[in-house]
Amino acid sequence: MIFHLSIAADDPARVAQALARLWRGEAFAFPQGAKGSWMAMAGDDRNSAVEVYPRGYVLTPGEDRDEKWPAAAKELRRSATHAAIGTPLTREEVFALAEQEGWMARYLRRGDQFGIIEVWVENAVLFEVLTSEMQQEYLQTQTLEKWRAKVSQAGAQQRAG
């Protein structure tokens, strides 16, 4: 299970506050992060959180958390990094929040198994937002047993093809 993840944003406070609204949680300035970092907290039974760092800040290995701001890092707006998160909001409320923030959002089905709302935070970072109904679909279709069957079937098709 994932307890928290971190992302970069142009406006960490605004992004953290919007993510907190998706969860009906709270956002806080993040004192352990880089200057200007914020955290969105869901207030759920796992204390789920998203740390939002200023774009351009880079975490580095080591014991110290010196400020690291490589020039090229600020230019990177998109990556393979994304997260699927649950929300107590309705589909309409998610779309309204995305519209209010000026973020792209669209409903999609993943492999005809479960629905998601793609919310592109600052039109750069993908959050797959799942309403209560979508969460049930996800939990029913994304099991170890079903993934084993998919992989086995794909392997059989490759050997036959």
Side-chain angles (χ1 to χ4, degrees):
M1 83 187 60
I2 296 173
F3 292 102
H4 77 263
L5 63 99
S6 64
I7 64 169
D10 296 324
D11 188 342
R14 182 176 180 181
V15 168
Q17 290 163 1
L19 293 174
R21 289 198 320 266
L22 277 173
W23 281 330
R24 291 194 175 122
E26 292 185 50
F28 303 94
F30 185 38
Q32 293 96 340
K35 183 177 178 184
S37 297
W38 277 70
M39 183 181 308
M41 296 192 71
D44 60 8
D45 61 341
R46 292 192 174 107
N47 297 318
S48 301
V50 176
E51 298 172 6
V52 186
Y53 288 88
R55 187 165 318 284
Y57 181 78
V58 176
L59 296 174
T60 58
E63 301 218 5
D64 64 335
R65 281 278 175 107
D66 291 337
E67 298 288 305
K68 308 288 184 194
W69 299 91
K74 190 153 181 70
E75 303 305 316
L76 299 175
R77 292 193 44 82
R78 292 201 175 149
S79 73
T81 301
H82 73 281
I85 65 170
T87 182
L89 303 182
T90 65
R91 183 190 289 204
E92 295 76 19
E93 289 172 317
V94 172
F95 278 105
L97 188 152
E99 184 176 352
Q100 178 183 11
E101 295 297 327
W103 299 342
M104 297 179 289
R106 64 184 180 159
Y107 173 81
L108 296 170
R109 293 209 44 91
R110 293 289 193 233
D112 199 36
Q113 296 177 40
F114 59 94
I116 62 156
I117 302 169
E118 279 191 352
V119 176
W120 287 87
V121 174
E122 292 189 325
N123 297 319
V125 180
L126 173 60
F127 273 75
E128 297 173 335
V129 180
L130 290 81
T131 63
S132 296
E133 297 81 16
M134 295 171 197
Q135 291 170 48
Q136 292 306 310
E137 289 179 325
Y138 183 91
L139 292 171
Q140 291 169 4
T141 61
Q142 302 304 298
T143 65
L144 285 173
E145 295 77 21
K146 290 188 178 180
W147 269 95
R148 286 184 195 118
K150 283 184 224 181
V151 170
S152 177
Q153 182 181 20
Q157 289 174 350
Q158 287 178 343
R159 287 189 296 277

